[in-house]
Amino acid sequence: MPSAKLIFGCGYLGERVAGLWLPSARAFVATRTAERAVGFEASGFKAIVADVTKPETLGDLPAVDAVLFAVGFDRRGDADIQSVYAGGLQNVLAALPPSVSRIIYISTTGVYGPAGGEWVESEELR
């Protein structure tokens, strides 16, 4: 039986990883909207509508052997950054089935606030 993988955060990176996994594994992708789920299904992925900030949506996760957590912060969303990154990961970890043997965490690259396109410098580095 082929392996199965689950991806939370199917943006730029997550969707590409799903595509790389697809030929040799069943690729499940979690998205917050039914509309995006339809698009993922059309691409050959098995879509799950779930939100990492809402544990009640994580109750029926599939039996997979690996999980990629590549969730990005959506400034248009209702949740704050702490709830998405720390709380979201905590919710996912609590909901994972026992079949999971590997978790891959992709950190955010959003380290600094908006700088209007200018270089960000630190006085401590000078």
Side-chain angles (χ1 to χ4, degrees):
M1 182 166 160
S3 66
K5 317 285 188 202
L6 172 60
I7 299 173
F8 287 92
C10 264
Y12 178 80
L13 179 63
E15 189 169 357
R16 280 150 186 80
V17 171
L20 292 172
W21 278 346
L22 192 56
S24 63
R26 185 155 187 199
F28 292 88
V29 296
T31 181
R32 291 178 293 150
T33 67
E35 295 80 20
R36 286 206 67 205
V38 170
F40 287 131
E41 292 277 345
S43 296
F45 308 125
K46 177 64 180 152
I48 300 165
V49 178
D51 185 332
V52 300
T53 65
K54 298 176 181 166
E56 65 275 11
T57 67
L58 303 171
D60 292 323
L61 297 179
V64 297
D65 50 31
V67 173
L68 171 66
F69 189 89
V71 174
F73 180 64
D74 182 358
R75 294 179 192 277
R76 298 165 294 168
D78 295 333
D80 61 74
I81 198 164
Q82 179 75 19
S83 298
V84 173
Y85 289 127
L89 179 59
Q90 185 176 26
N91 293 338
V92 167
L93 291 174
L96 290 178
S99 61
V100 175
S101 62
R102 178 172 293 167
I103 298 170
I104 304 162
Y105 176 81
I106 303 296
S107 178
T108 178
T109 57
V111 178
Y112 299 103
E118 300 298 318
W119 283 97
V120 177
E121 295 186 35
S122 171
E123 293 296 320
E124 294 175 13
L125 298 176
R126 292 183 182 176

